[in-house]
Amino acid sequence: MANTVLIVDDAAFMRMMIKDILSKNGFDVVGEAENGQVAVEKYTELTPDLVTMDITMPEKDGIQALKEIKAHNPNATVIMCSAMGQQAMVIDAIQAGAKDFIVKPFQADRVLEAINKALG
């Protein structure tokens, strides 16, 4: 059975890019969220195998959403997505339980490498 993924990013274009990479490589994208609040709700509803989580979003940022998801399920697998220059936030995310991070703009091989490693 394909691994299920929830994609979280406030930019529809970025969600589409990740969805395209994952769908072409056998993953089942079961949901999308445009901010951290929706991400937590969808995670609880869908319990995907993996979450790709943008860091900087309106309403609730990715790090706060990560903490809430990990509180709900300590075994949740979350990979953070960040722009260059957000190293401090990436460190915060890893300390909060993120498995890995991918840097924008996305490169398909790096996305797949991070996801396969996190799920392995």
Side-chain angles (χ1 to χ4, degrees):
M1 199 171 115
N3 284 306
T4 56
V5 184
L6 171 64
I7 299 172
V8 185
D9 199 304
D10 57 327
F13 176 71
M14 289 296 177
R15 293 197 308 269
M16 191 179 75
M17 281 180 64
I18 295 184
K19 185 175 186 173
D20 189 52
I21 293 167
L22 297 182
S23 299
K24 285 179 178 167
N25 287 278
F27 292 91
D28 182 11
V29 177
V30 291
E32 296 181 30
E34 66 279 0
N35 65 52
Q37 183 59 46
V38 176
V40 173
E41 291 164 10
K42 291 235 174 146
Y43 182 85
T44 307
E45 174 194 335
L46 301 167
T47 57
D49 298 318
L50 179 100
V51 180
T52 64
M53 179 84 70
D54 186 23
I55 292 180
T56 310
M57 294 181 291
E59 294 190 42
K60 183 177 289 180
D61 70 24
I63 293 174
Q64 185 57 43
L66 166 68
K67 289 176 180 172
E68 290 181 27
I69 286 171
K70 292 297 262 185
H72 173 75
N73 177 6
N75 298 317
T77 302
V78 181
I79 293 178
M80 305 307 285
C81 304
S82 74
M84 290 300 277
Q86 291 185 315
Q87 282 85 347
M89 292 173 117
V90 167
I91 291 166
D92 287 349
I94 299 292
Q95 288 172 339
K99 291 275 194 220
D100 203 345
F101 67 96
I102 10 183
V103 177
K104 298 175 183 178
F106 300 121
Q107 294 173 302
D109 55 349
R110 175 66 189 116
V111 170
L112 294 169
E113 176 193 331
I115 287 175
N116 287 321
K117 191 173 93 181
L119 290 170

